[in-house]
Amino acid sequence: MGLARGLVAGVLVLLGAAPPASSPGPTEVTVRGRVLMLESALRMLDLELKLDPGSASKQVVLLGEDRSILPLFRDEVTRALFEDDRLRNLRAELHGRRYPGVPYLKVSSVRVEHDGHFQVPEYFCDVCSISVRAPQICPCCQGPMVLQMRPDRR
Ligand SMILES: [Zn+2]
């Protein structure tokens, strides 16, 4: 029986159908540093790289306390960091996932330092009393939404 199983496994390997050797899953991480455009982060590290103009001004990164650069995926969670420069160059704490072999962080929560505490940035409509994560007009009344910092419940 062991032989038969071995043969089957061997055939599967030959067919390329063997299951991948326990590929490691994503890792939950919490990282602290400063949220910056890549070009600012490179400047802070005194790296003078000849890049095409604008190429480093569209990528937002976290410059870690260990001076490592961690690029962020742009999505609903991080869109505010890409679009609102008031949220950059502040101390920040990001929680998210690292995937093996992928240099980008998939952020699940953003907190930035405000009044000496890490707080959650959000955009608020006074009229409708609703908040959203990214800058936009109010989805309810189409009015303006204002950036505010919400003290974290944690
Ligand atoms: Zn509204």
Side-chain angles (χ1 to χ4, degrees), residues 4-20:
R5 193 177 294 161
L7 282 173
V8 168
V11 169
L12 287 175
V13 167
L14 287 175
L15 293 176

Side-chain angles (χ1 to χ4, degrees), residues 18 27 63-64 77 125 154:
T27 317
L63 179 61
V77 181
C125 174
R154 273 196 283 172

Side-chain angles (χ1 to χ4, degrees), residues 5 7 11 13 18 23 27 45 47 50 56 63 78-79 82 93 102 114 119 121-122 128 131-132 134 139 154:
R5 193 177 294 161
L7 282 173
V11 169
V13 167
S23 60
T27 317
L45 293 179
L47 291 177
K50 290 241 182 294
L63 179 61
T78 57
R79 195 174 304 139
F82 284 75
E93 183 181 86
V102 177
H114 183 71
Q119 304 197 37
E122 62 182 18
C128 310
S131 61
V132 295
R154 273 196 283 172

Side-chain angles (χ1 to χ4, degrees), residues 125 128 138 140-141:
C125 174
C128 310
C138 176
C140 182
C141 71

Side-chain angles (χ1 to χ4, degrees), residues 34-49 51-52 54-64 67-70 81-82 84-85 87-90:
R34 213 164 262 276
V35 171
L36 298 166
M37 284 298 181
L38 176 56
E39 59 185 1
S40 308
L42 294 173
R43 215 176 301 126
M44 289 184 78
L45 293 179
D46 292 323
L47 291 177
E48 293 192 22
L49 305 176
L51 304 177
D52 282 352
S55 66
S57 61
K58 294 188 173 71
Q59 177 61 57
V60 171
V61 304
L62 183 81
L63 179 61
R67 294 170 65 81
S68 65
I69 287 182
L70 177 60
L81 301 176
F82 284 75
D84 193 337
D85 52 16
L87 295 179
R88 291 194 300 271
N89 216 351
L90 302 172

